[in-house]
Amino acid sequence: MALVNAGYVVLDCAEPERLAEFYKGLLGAEETEATANRIEILGPRGFRMAFRRDANAVPPSWPRPENSLQAHLDFVVEDLDDAERAVVGLGGRPLEAKDHAGPHEERGFSDPAGHSFTLRHGIAPTAPKQG
């Protein structure tokens, strides 16, 4: 018997309503629960996200080299150009990030609250092993 019944990727932000709309549009997700300080969504294949209100939230600063990236989201897409147009149309913005060489192209973006994510064509990880 599993100890955990479900898991969520939770993003802290000043405006959870705005961020939930962005990710609902990006993922084709539906809102499953909302309170004054948290909104939960459910995407295809059971992918769950939540957005928690934090009035003091500060956007991450990646890809600036003086700050390390602690976490980001990866989304696999069929067509990078179409996906990029959709992301920008939803309020996301491209990030200036280093090109990743190899057979699996990827592009970096930030959501309206500044959280970074990657759109990737292909399943295999593209970053070289570090450390």
Side-chain angles (χ1 to χ4, degrees):
M1 180 174 183
L3 182 63
V4 175
N5 294 325
Y8 289 83
V9 172
V10 180
L11 299 178
D12 293 344
C13 57
E15 299 176 76
E17 300 82 6
R18 182 175 179 212
L19 208 53
E21 286 302 314
F22 174 82
Y23 282 103
K24 285 186 332 189
L26 179 67
L27 300 171
E30 61 183 48
E31 189 172 301
T32 57
E33 190 169 330
T35 65
N37 291 311
R38 183 179 167 113
I39 298 174
E40 297 177 2
I41 65 172
L42 176 63
R45 299 181 182 166
F47 184 71
R48 298 173 186 264
M49 291 186 76
F51 312 95
R52 188 180 69 88
R53 187 178 315 278
D54 178 353
N56 298 313
V58 177
S61 60
W62 184 84
R64 290 192 338 220
E66 63 271 16
N67 294 325
S68 67
L69 177 64
Q70 299 298 314
H72 74 280
L73 304 170
D74 267 357
F75 298 108
V76 177
V77 300
E78 290 295 320
D79 186 307
L80 280 166
D81 293 331
D82 285 347
E84 181 169 357
R85 282 189 288 276
V87 164
V88 171
L90 290 165
R93 65 180 176 81
L95 293 176
E96 290 183 32
K98 195 166 138 181
D99 242 353
H100 296 282
H104 305 284
E105 186 181 357
E106 62 183 40
R107 298 177 191 168
F109 297 88
S110 70
D111 65 26
H115 302 102
S116 62
F117 65 93
T118 300
L119 296 180
R120 188 163 38 94
H121 185 261
I123 302 296
T126 59
K129 183 177 180 181
Q130 296 184 12

